[in-house]
Amino acid sequence: MMMIVMMVVMMVMMVVVMMMVMMMMMMVVMMVVMMMIVMMVVMMVMMVMMMMVMVMMGMMVVRRARLSGPDRPGSDAALFPPQEGVGDTPDSYAYDGNRVRKWNVTTTNYGKSWAAGDIVSCLVDLDEGTITFCLNGQSLGTAFSGIKTGPGVAYFPAISLSFKESVAFNFGSRPLRYPVEGYLPLQDPPAADLLKAHQLLGFIKNVLSTCLDPQEDKLLEKEAADWSLHGEPTVLITLAHIFNHFAPLMCKVYLVEDVLMNFLLGILEGGGSVDEHPLIQQLLDLFWLLMEEHEVNECLKQLMMSLLRAYRFSPIIPDLGFQIHYLRLTTAILRHEKSRKYLLNNLTFDVLRSVVFFYIKTPLRVKEAGLEELIPTTWWPTHFDKEGKDEREPKDESSDERLRRRAYERGCQRLKKRIEVVEDLQVQILKLLLNNKDKTTGEASRYIFLNKFRKFLQENASNRGHPTALCPPEYMVCFLHRLVAAVRSCWDEGGRKSLSSLSSEDAYVPPQLFYNGKVDYFDLQRLGGLLSHLKKTLKDDLACKANVLIDPAEIQTTSMDDLDEDEESGAAQRPFGAAAMGGALARPSWLSSPTLGRANRFLSTAAVSLMTPRRPLSQPEKVKVRTLAVEQRTEEDIEGSHGNDGLLLGRPQEEPDQPITDKSLLEIIDGIVMMYNLSVHQQLGKMVVVADEVHEYAVALKDTEEKIARCPARRADILEELQKSQKVFAEKLNHLSRRLAWINATIYSKEKMLDVYWLLCVCIRTIEHADNTGSLFAFAPEFYLNVAMNAYSALKNYFSPANSMEELPGYEETLTQLAAILAKHFADPRIVGTDIKDSLMQALASYVCYPQSLRAVERIPEEQRVAMMRNLLAPYEQRPWAQTNWILVRLWRGCGFGYRYTRLPHLLKTKPEDANLPSLQKPCPSLLLQKHMAELLSLDKDMAASFLNSVLNQLNWAFSEFIGMIQEIQQAAERPERNFVDTRQLKVCATCFDLSVSLLRVLEMTVTLVPEIFLDWSRPSAELLLRRLAQLLNQVLNRVTAEKNLFDRVVNLRLPGLESVDHYPILVAVTGILVRILVDGDKQGTSRAAAVLLSDPCFQLHSIQHLLGEPGASSGSPAAVRPAGSSAAPLTPSAAGNPERKHFSLHAYTDYISQEEKQKVEMMLDFLTEESKQAAAATAPTSEEDLCPICYAHSISAVFRPCSHKSCKACINQHLMNNKDCFFCKATITGVEDYSKPCSS
């Protein structure tokens, strides 16, 4: 037993010992594990910290960009605060191609100026301690030497960017465009894969160029281009084995760009058309046959991206060889149907948003672009007219100048022909994308392009506040011209099949596209306002005129709370491919704004039903549909089918049933118009600056040459400086004239002008057809009117003098059509947008400033002319009247008193900023439109009274505002401390003065054309209008002619911004009115006018004498005689001012005032002097009881009915203009009768 017990005890002890050992071992293991975990965590933390430090060192310079500086790439070994950029710290180095300087704490001149699309290389030599920069492969020299190297020093690529700037880096992931011997990229090239890819591609080429002779059982060589996919099975099996190794390599961007793209380019190097090289098509067939779908997709994507980069960053050379080479390969690839459709669906407009392939960049460095070889002789205009404009065909051009000009024009033609080769290739690419016959592999290319194009427009229209998301305007310009050429070519090709169809020359967008929901206009404004409002208010017109019914039940059940309904759920309920019979295109929720977007989205989901034509409206066949997304539209939705008009669904009764072969082209034309409105017109205006610079330098050079000719021989120092300036100007002109030749060829050529002119005609025809639909015109987008006005402006201002509008086909007829649109729609009640109404008014105001366009206005039908003048003569209140008044002034300019000038006399010595401004055009009055104005004012007495009262009201306001502002300016000028007058205040002050002058000219025009409005007192408001006119004329004369007055002091300050403020324009305008009513009228009229003028308490005869330069009269002279009862004090000698001071006088303006006009002013002065004497002698003293209790200036002459209170006629007439209540008892005045004091009193 003891043995057993001992054994048990020993076993227990052994178990315990084993457990203890195991526990100790477990503890050790746990400790080791814990230590390992801790070490791993520490290592991970350290790695994360190191990575963060590396990221901060490598990326902080980009994130913390220099806000005030331009791009500065370079190398960095330093961390710097946010306010510093690359090159601002001791171990940071930068090259700035904008300022042409290098930076390392200090800055010095270095390198060349860069431009968008240039490639900058940074070479760091750590052995020699130097940094060198290259621009497009050309070394700019060593920028920095002795840079810090050694342990602990690392350099990171860095760049400082300004707002809206972007840059692409290549550290070796793609082949370097300009490799430099002795330097390596940061990322090593895949040498093994490169060798393998080259070998496999060589195998493929060998297989394609080898065939088996079955008779002799031997291999024969043949042309690879003769190979066919449907050839020998043995060859296909062999190729399949090769592609098994080749396909994975073609998914790598480096290999695609270095191996495949160069191989394909080599195929086309032999020249000839792309059709002569079918090997590329055969290779693409093999790709789709022997490669996995994801492999061929990735390969094609990388190939096109490589081509895009190559095209975009290629330097400009004289023959544009690089651009042509890459475009030819792009064309060859897109000729392959399956590849084209894949690229359209997945790349074009998705990745390539900026349509780079259709852009031809403008070289900034003329010498490197080879323009000196193409255009060896330069020329610029050297003859200018009096207004500083270039003379197109100067009569005194010397033979040397003529030879230079012709040599320059020949060089420009050579350049243009080379550019046209590139443009033709770009058009070919677009025509491939617009192919609508390639339906063997699915949907035709055109309909894929159309949907992508619409999304492209949507993004650019909706992201105008985010410039980085927009397509650059310079790309848009080139894209628009290529698209116009391609669309017109496709249109005419389709039109040849049907002789009755429209030609592209007569193309327009039918009005039903604007309301049938087939085309999405995003958030763009309609002429009639919100689309939702139009659909509700014009639903009856839609049903009656266009057979379009809005389902009222669905509109009523849709509340504003439902507007945020999930669009995806609605899309899920629609069967894919369902026909969109009348809805608008859906757009993503992120695009819609909380105002217009929400309302448009509500309308786009509303049910629309369309009736078949000629079916009674009482029994419509309703088809409830919902909008299809752009991706879901089919060819049938666009082109239509049996019983379905596609895009032309809902044709109004007024619209002719004109057959259109390819309806899809209508939407593309609509998109082209939208593109022009988005950014093209603005870019056309920007590029004119080069022509302006040429003009400015040419003027400066001619001025310098004239100074050299006049410089005396003894002043050698001045002559030397002038000759230096002459050399600088000539060098600058040589550079600019060659650059201008490029811009004229790519942007302002005759062909581009015809494109814009065609676009103008499209807009005019579209507006005319939409206008014929009556109330449905409100559905038209605003941008059609904008493009019509802007395109005309571009043709007139941007394409001249290189091209002339007069040479355009049907030019005069087009001008007349546009004139009719402006005349009719500037006051069209169907147009509600204030911006578009202002634009129409401004366009009409500019239109009447030029003789040719004014004659076009006169050629429109008489009914439209009269309607236009009636709208112009509407009262000025509650509408933008300044432009209306300007139009009337332009119609009168050239007929008024002393109103034949182009520029004011005191401004003749100063150079105008822009001689092409409408306000600086020569006078061209319209007697025809003046006649219409006279007839309207003469026949319609109520309209005449309301119009003239509004003009007088605005004159009173404008002149009062002007006087108040010049008082503030004078007070600021008299303060002892230095003061600066706000430029905006000066501008507003000058504007009020100009408005006052223009309003006075309209009054002069009215008095001249229809004097009976003021002088025939049988008209109900004639006397009131005459008294108001006299009051305002006296006010203006007194303020302007008083000696040492406020007006004089401010004019003598000659402040910048107040150049137009002078005595001449305003005094001559007042004189014209006075001469007309006091001299040119009949005796009865002149007597009435003189009596009213003299009875005004503000009248002073010396103001009239001031016009002829007479200094005034003494107290005993007739000028001091005043009618009894007048509150004005007699003029004293002191008030006349210093007789030695130079006075204003009409006699000084012999070139502006005719002798006959001067005589009329003298006659007027004599007449007023005599009348004032007679009035003073005939007027009996008036007691205070008989004076008007309102003004105390005139005798009581009117009694009110029914209350019988009294005042003078002037007071009561002015009061009744705005109020019908009595001054005293507030009773409603029903009539006013003449009052004469009883004789017994």
Side-chain angles (χ1 to χ4, degrees):
M1 290 293 293
M2 289 183 61
M3 290 287 291
I4 294 171
V5 171
M6 290 178 63
M7 289 177 66
V8 171
V9 171
M10 290 177 65
M11 289 176 66
V12 171
M13 291 178 64
M14 289 176 64
V15 171
V16 171
V17 171
M18 290 178 65
M19 291 179 64
M20 292 178 63
V21 172
M22 290 178 66
M23 290 178 64
M24 291 178 65
M25 291 177 65
M26 290 177 64
M27 291 178 63
V28 172
V29 172
M30 290 178 65
M31 291 178 63
V32 172
V33 171
M34 291 289 294
M35 291 179 65
M36 292 178 64
I37 293 173
V38 171
M39 291 178 66
M40 290 177 65
V41 171
V42 171
M43 291 178 66
M44 290 177 66
V45 171
M46 293 178 65
M47 289 177 66
V48 170
M49 293 179 65
M50 291 178 66
M51 290 175 67
M52 289 177 64
V53 171
M54 292 176 67
V55 170
M56 289 177 66
M57 293 179 69
M59 299 302 293
M60 188 183 300
V61 290
V62 178
R63 183 167 53 86
R64 297 180 174 181
R66 187 177 170 90
L67 297 178
S68 61
D71 307 359
R72 292 194 293 185
S75 298
D76 237 321
L79 296 176
F80 40 80
Q83 67 271 17
E84 294 180 337
V86 183
D88 289 338
T89 56
D91 295 323
S92 178
Y93 306 90
Y95 157 50
D96 182 348
N98 188 35
R99 298 188 182 98
V100 196
R101 304 179 74 83
K102 61 181 179 180
W103 298 73
N104 176 235
V105 181
T106 59
T107 176
T108 54
N109 294 330
Y110 174 79
K112 297 179 181 179
S113 175
W114 61 31
D118 284 343
I119 297 177
V120 181
S121 307
C122 180
L123 313 178
V124 182
D125 189 337
L126 296 179
D127 297 326
E128 300 295 332
T130 61
I131 296 178
T132 304
F133 293 95
C134 300
L135 185 64
N136 294 328
Q138 296 183 357
S139 176
L140 302 178
T142 301
F144 306 100
S145 57
I147 64 173
K148 190 184 298 183
T149 58
V153 178
Y155 288 91
F156 299 92
I159 190 167
S160 298
L161 293 176
S162 296
F163 182 59
K164 301 181 185 178
E165 292 178 334
S166 61
V167 66
F169 290 98
N170 181 14
F171 299 122
S173 62
R174 303 188 305 275
L176 296 180
R177 180 62 55 84
Y178 303 106
V180 180
E181 186 177 355
Y183 289 86
L184 293 175
L186 297 181
Q187 183 176 340
D188 291 332
D193 286 344
L194 278 171
L195 180 61
K196 186 177 179 181
H198 279 294
Q199 289 177 342
L200 292 171
L201 196 57
F203 296 158
I204 294 172
K205 186 176 180 181
N206 290 337
V207 170
L208 294 178
S209 59
T210 304
C211 67
L212 180 64
D213 188 346
Q215 297 178 352
E216 301 183 8
D217 289 336
K218 64 178 182 179
L219 297 177
L220 301 176
E221 289 188 5
K222 68 171 185 178
E223 288 291 333
D226 297 334
W227 182 82
S228 174
L229 183 63
H230 303 289
E232 302 167 359
T234 308
V235 176
L236 285 177
I237 294 173
T238 306
L239 289 171
H241 284 290
I242 299 174
F243 267 86
N244 191 38
H245 302 279
F246 181 69
L249 297 177
M250 290 299 98
C251 296
K252 299 179 180 180
V253 58
Y254 198 106
L255 302 178
V256 170
E257 186 167 334
D258 191 64
V259 179
L260 181 60
M261 186 177 80
N262 288 330
F263 174 74
L264 296 177
L265 287 170
I267 295 175
L268 296 173
E269 280 183 354
S273 67
V274 177
D275 298 338
E276 298 175 7
H277 302 280
L279 181 57
I280 295 178
Q281 306 296 310
Q282 296 163 4
L283 284 173
L284 291 173
D285 285 336
L286 282 175
F287 279 25
W288 286 102
L289 178 66
L290 302 176
M291 293 173 66
E292 296 291 337
E293 186 174 355
H294 71 275
E295 292 173 337
V296 68
N297 290 348
E298 184 64 23
C299 177
L300 283 174
K301 177 181 176 181
Q302 296 301 340
L303 179 59
M304 291 303 294
M305 292 299 293
S306 299
L307 276 172
L308 180 142
R309 286 190 294 267
Y311 177 81
R312 183 179 183 184
F313 296 113
S314 293
I316 300 293
I317 59 176
D319 62 351
L320 299 173
F322 291 122
Q323 287 74 15
I324 293 173
H325 209 35
Y326 298 127
L327 287 174
R328 278 166 54 82
L329 179 54
T330 305
T331 306
I333 294 171
L334 291 175
R335 288 181 67 84
H336 190 265
E337 181 178 330
K338 195 169 183 180
S339 301
R340 176 172 69 247
K341 291 184 179 179
Y342 166 75
L343 293 171
L344 268 172
N345 273 312
N346 299 280
L347 204 66
T348 309
F349 295 126
D350 292 330
V351 179
L352 312 181
R353 295 186 179 184
S354 53
V355 291
V356 179
F357 281 121
F358 309 108
Y359 173 55
I360 303 178
K361 63 181 179 182
T362 303
L364 293 180
R365 292 175 294 277
V366 169
K367 187 174 182 180
E368 295 176 16
L371 293 185
E372 291 183 350
E373 290 81 6
L374 274 176
I375 310 175
T377 305
T378 58
W379 174 85
W380 50 84
T382 56
H383 298 269
F384 311 97
D385 57 20
K386 294 181 179 179
E387 298 175 4
K389 299 180 182 179
D390 304 342
E391 292 184 7
R392 293 193 64 191
E393 296 180 357
K395 299 178 181 178
D396 55 345
E397 185 181 36
S398 65
S399 58
D400 291 341
E401 289 176 338
R402 189 180 303 108
L403 289 174
R404 277 186 60 201
R405 177 170 56 82
R406 291 176 178 174
Y408 175 74
E409 290 172 352
R410 287 194 298 270
C412 293
Q413 285 299 318
R414 287 193 294 269
L415 173 64
K416 183 181 177 184
K417 288 180 180 179
R418 299 191 179 186
I419 290 175
E420 285 175 349
V421 176
V422 178
E423 293 176 347
D424 289 342
L425 286 170
Q426 293 171 333
V427 173
Q428 287 180 31
I429 291 175
L430 275 173
K431 289 172 73 173
L432 287 171
L433 300 180
L434 292 177
N435 188 348
N436 65 338
K437 307 300 181 186
D438 53 346
K439 303 175 184 178
T440 55
T441 57
E443 189 177 15
S445 299
R446 179 183 296 179
Y447 307 110
I448 305 173
F449 174 87
L450 184 58
N451 293 335
K452 294 290 182 179
F453 179 52
R454 207 69 195 179
K455 282 191 171 182
F456 169 77
L457 294 174
Q458 184 181 35
E459 291 176 359
N460 282 272
S462 305
N463 290 315
R464 301 185 80 173
H466 306 280
T468 54
L470 296 179
C471 174
E474 58 270 22
Y475 290 19
M476 280 281 208
V477 173
C478 295
F479 183 41
L480 178 135
H481 287 298
R482 309 305 173 266
L483 196 54
V484 167
V487 166
R488 295 194 65 180
S489 175
C490 293
W491 184 297
D492 290 334
E493 286 177 7
R496 295 188 188 103
K497 302 175 184 178
S498 175
L499 298 177
S500 60
S501 61
L502 281 175
S503 67
S504 65
E505 197 65 38
D506 302 319
Y508 68 96
V509 179
Q512 53 264 45
L513 265 71
F514 305 143
Y515 56 76
N516 67 10
K518 291 290 186 177
V519 180
D520 187 5
Y521 289 99
F522 328 129
D523 290 336
L524 299 177
Q525 188 74 358
R526 307 299 182 101
L527 291 177
L530 287 174
L531 183 61
S532 56
H533 171 74
L534 294 176
K535 292 264 185 166
K536 292 176 183 177
T537 56
L538 299 178
K539 60 182 180 180
D540 294 337
D541 293 337
L542 283 171
C544 177
K545 296 182 177 182
N547 294 337
V548 176
L549 290 181
I550 307 296
D551 189 351
E554 184 156 347
I555 291 181
Q556 291 171 5
T557 56
T558 305
S559 63
M560 291 302 292
D561 296 330
D562 298 326
L563 295 182
D564 293 325
E565 178 184 0
D566 188 0
E567 293 180 3
E568 294 182 1
S569 63
Q573 296 171 6
R574 297 192 299 264
F576 182 78
M581 300 290 290
L585 302 181
R587 55 192 170 282
S589 57
W590 55 264
L591 174 66
S592 301
S593 67
T595 53
L596 290 179
R598 289 166 61 91
N600 282 336
R601 189 161 78 251
F602 160 65
L603 236 293
S604 68
T605 57
V608 178
S609 57
L610 297 162
M611 299 183 307
T612 56
R614 303 180 185 88
R615 183 165 295 190
L617 289 175
S618 58
Q619 298 178 353
E621 181 182 349
K622 296 182 179 180
V623 182
K624 292 185 179 180
V625 296
R626 286 189 178 274
T627 302
L628 293 177
V630 173
E631 303 84 7
Q632 295 175 310
R633 290 199 306 175
T634 64
E635 179 182 351
E636 184 179 348
D637 299 322
I638 298 170
E639 299 290 359
S641 61
H642 301 291
N644 176 13
D645 288 336
L647 290 179
L648 300 184
L649 205 62
R651 181 174 60 87
Q653 299 169 357
E654 298 84 0
E655 180 67 13
D657 189 8
Q658 185 75 39
I660 296 177
T661 323
D662 297 324
K663 299 184 179 73
S664 54
L665 295 178
L666 293 174
E667 186 172 345
I668 299 179
I669 292 176
D670 178 81
I672 293 173
V673 177
M674 191 185 300
M675 278 175 58
Y676 189 92
N677 183 63
L678 288 176
S679 57
V680 171
H681 180 74
Q682 184 181 10
Q683 182 65 18
L684 288 178
K686 286 182 180 179
M687 298 307 294
V688 179
V689 68
V690 178
D692 294 339
E693 287 181 359
V694 170
H695 174 81
E696 290 173 4
Y697 277 103
V699 172
L701 178 61
K702 185 176 181 180
D703 183 56
T704 304
E705 290 172 346
E706 291 174 353
K707 289 179 180 178
I708 291 175
R710 296 195 306 267
C711 182
R714 64 180 182 276
R715 297 305 305 268
D717 54 339
I718 297 178
L719 183 63
E720 183 181 0
E721 292 298 322
L722 288 173
Q723 289 173 343
K724 288 181 180 178
S725 300
Q726 181 187 26
K727 183 179 179 182
V728 170
F729 292 149
E731 290 176 353
K732 190 69 176 178
L733 279 167
N734 284 328
H735 169 82
L736 287 174
S737 61
R738 292 188 174 101
R739 188 163 176 238
L740 182 61
W742 183 283
I743 292 174
N744 283 339
T746 55
I747 298 177
Y748 299 121
S749 67
K750 180 71 172 181
E751 292 74 19
K752 310 300 183 300
M753 187 179 191
L754 287 171
D755 287 346
V756 177
Y757 182 63
W758 177 78
L759 206 58
L760 168 63
C761 295
V762 167
C763 291
I764 288 176
R765 285 190 289 268
T766 300
I767 294 167
E768 289 176 343
H769 281 263
D771 180 40
N772 292 336
T773 62
S775 58
L776 301 186
F777 178 65
F779 283 97
E782 285 185 353
F783 65 78
Y784 273 90
L785 278 172
N786 279 325
V787 171
M789 294 181 285
N790 290 334
Y792 166 73
S793 175
L795 293 170
K796 182 167 63 70
N797 298 319
Y798 301 158
F799 287 88
S800 61
N803 298 288
S804 174
M805 276 193 73
E806 289 81 354
E807 300 171 1
L808 295 171
Y811 162 70
E812 290 191 355
E813 182 183 355
T814 303
L815 275 187
T816 306
Q817 290 175 313
L818 182 58
I821 288 174
L822 296 177
K824 182 174 183 179
H825 297 302
F826 82 92
D828 193 336
R830 297 171 295 181
I831 301 176
V832 300
T834 54
D835 290 341
I836 188 64
K837 292 174 78 171
D838 289 345
S839 298
L840 286 166
M841 183 69 77
Q842 292 172 11
L844 182 60
S846 174
Y847 218 72
V848 299
C849 291
Y850 301 88
Q852 290 179 327
S853 51
L854 179 59
R855 301 301 166 245
V857 175
E858 294 178 343
R859 287 195 299 268
I860 66 177
E862 182 177 357
E863 182 181 355
Q864 294 185 16
R865 293 197 306 267
V866 173
M868 179 189 76
M869 294 306 300
R870 185 180 296 276
N871 289 325
L872 290 173
L873 297 175
Y876 281 2
E877 283 81 11
Q878 298 180 353
R879 72 186 183 100
W881 55 269
Q883 289 292 342
T884 301
N885 198 76
W886 171 250
I887 294 172
L888 295 175
V889 167
R890 289 300 307 189
L891 300 179
W892 176 246
R893 190 172 183 176
C895 297
F897 184 92
Y899 200 36
R900 294 169 292 277
Y901 56 82
T902 301
R903 300 188 65 206
L904 291 169
H906 68 286
L907 295 178
L908 284 180
K909 295 182 180 180
T910 62
K911 179 184 176 183
E913 294 183 2
D914 185 1
N916 292 320
L917 289 175
S919 58
L920 296 179
Q921 303 309 306
K922 294 181 179 179
C924 51
S926 173
L927 300 180
L928 178 61
L929 296 179
Q930 290 178 21
K931 176 185 175 184
H932 293 324
M933 177 179 173
E935 292 172 351
L936 287 170
L937 292 178
S938 178
L939 298 175
D940 194 335
K941 299 180 181 179
D942 293 336
M943 182 184 71
S946 59
F947 168 71
L948 287 171
N949 275 319
S950 66
V951 172
L952 293 169
N953 288 340
Q954 299 301 340
L955 174 60
N956 185 34
W957 168 83
F959 190 73
S960 300
E961 288 291 316
F962 168 70
I963 294 299
M965 288 181 183
I966 63 174
Q967 286 175 346
E968 296 177 6
I969 294 171
Q970 176 63 22
Q971 291 170 3
E974 290 177 348
R975 295 192 189 112
E977 67 273 12
R978 189 172 183 180
N979 295 283
F980 296 94
V981 182
D982 187 4
T983 54
R984 289 182 301 175
Q985 184 180 4
L986 293 175
K987 186 176 181 180
V988 173
C989 180
T991 301
C992 289
F993 178 80
D994 294 338
L995 287 175
S996 301
V997 174
S998 64
L999 288 164
L1000 285 168
R1001 286 298 184 181
V1002 170
L1003 288 172
E1004 179 194 19
M1005 177 183 183
T1006 308
V1007 168
T1008 305
L1009 297 176
V1010 201
E1012 61 268 20
I1013 294 181
F1014 294 94
L1015 303 178
D1016 182 6
W1017 285 8
S1018 63
R1019 298 172 70 103
S1021 56
E1023 184 180 359
L1024 169 63
L1025 292 173
L1026 183 59
R1027 291 188 183 279
R1028 292 199 64 199
L1029 178 65
Q1031 180 185 9
L1032 287 171
L1033 293 180
N1034 284 326
Q1035 179 186 353
V1036 172
L1037 283 172
N1038 292 342
R1039 290 284 191 177
V1040 176
T1041 61
E1043 296 295 338
K1044 296 183 180 181
N1045 64 1
L1046 181 65
F1047 186 86
D1048 273 339
R1049 291 196 293 269
V1050 172
V1051 168
N1052 292 331
L1053 290 175
R1054 295 300 177 191
L1055 296 174
L1058 294 183
E1059 292 85 358
S1060 63
V1061 179
D1062 192 68
H1063 294 80
Y1064 181 85
I1066 194 165
L1067 288 181
V1068 172
V1070 171
T1071 304
I1073 300 174
L1074 293 174
V1075 166
R1076 183 63 190 87
I1077 62 176
L1078 295 173
V1079 177
D1080 292 341
D1082 56 25
K1083 185 174 181 181
Q1084 184 182 20
T1086 55
S1087 299
R1088 286 175 177 171
V1092 170
L1093 191 67
L1094 294 172
S1095 65
D1096 186 82
C1098 298
F1099 174 76
Q1100 297 183 22
L1101 189 58
H1102 89 276
S1103 297
I1104 310 297
Q1105 295 171 336
H1106 186 281
L1107 299 175
L1108 295 175
E1110 298 180 13
S1114 63
S1115 57
S1117 68
V1121 180
R1122 303 292 298 144
S1126 173
S1127 60
L1131 183 67
T1132 61
S1134 61
N1138 186 356
E1140 297 178 359
R1141 184 177 178 274
K1142 185 177 180 180
H1143 291 274
F1144 170 86
S1145 174
L1146 295 177
H1147 294 297
Y1149 299 93
T1150 54
D1151 294 336
Y1152 295 85
I1153 308 295
S1154 66
Q1155 189 63 35
E1156 181 185 359
E1157 289 173 334
K1158 293 177 187 176
Q1159 293 175 355
K1160 287 185 177 181
V1161 176
E1162 293 171 354
M1163 292 171 58
M1164 177 183 69
L1165 180 58
D1166 295 339
F1167 175 67
L1168 286 177
T1169 302
E1170 184 63 28
E1171 288 292 316
S1172 62
K1173 290 180 181 179
Q1174 295 179 6
T1179 303
T1182 305
S1183 65
E1184 186 174 347
E1185 295 179 356
D1186 296 330
L1187 290 177
C1188 171
I1190 305 300
C1191 65
Y1192 284 94
H1194 302 90
S1195 300
I1196 295 174
S1197 57
V1199 59
F1200 316 154
R1201 297 300 180 210
C1203 62
S1204 299
H1205 287 109
K1206 305 177 185 66
S1207 75
C1208 66
K1209 285 186 177 181
C1211 290
I1212 186 57
N1213 287 337
Q1214 190 160 358
H1215 175 71
L1216 288 177
M1217 288 173 52
N1218 303 308
N1219 199 330
K1220 300 299 182 182
D1221 296 337
C1222 175
F1223 286 111
F1224 309 101
C1225 65
K1226 304 302 180 184
T1228 301
I1229 299 176
T1230 59
V1232 177
E1233 298 176 0
D1234 291 340
Y1235 171 80
S1236 58
K1237 188 176 180 181
C1239 296
S1240 57
S1241 301

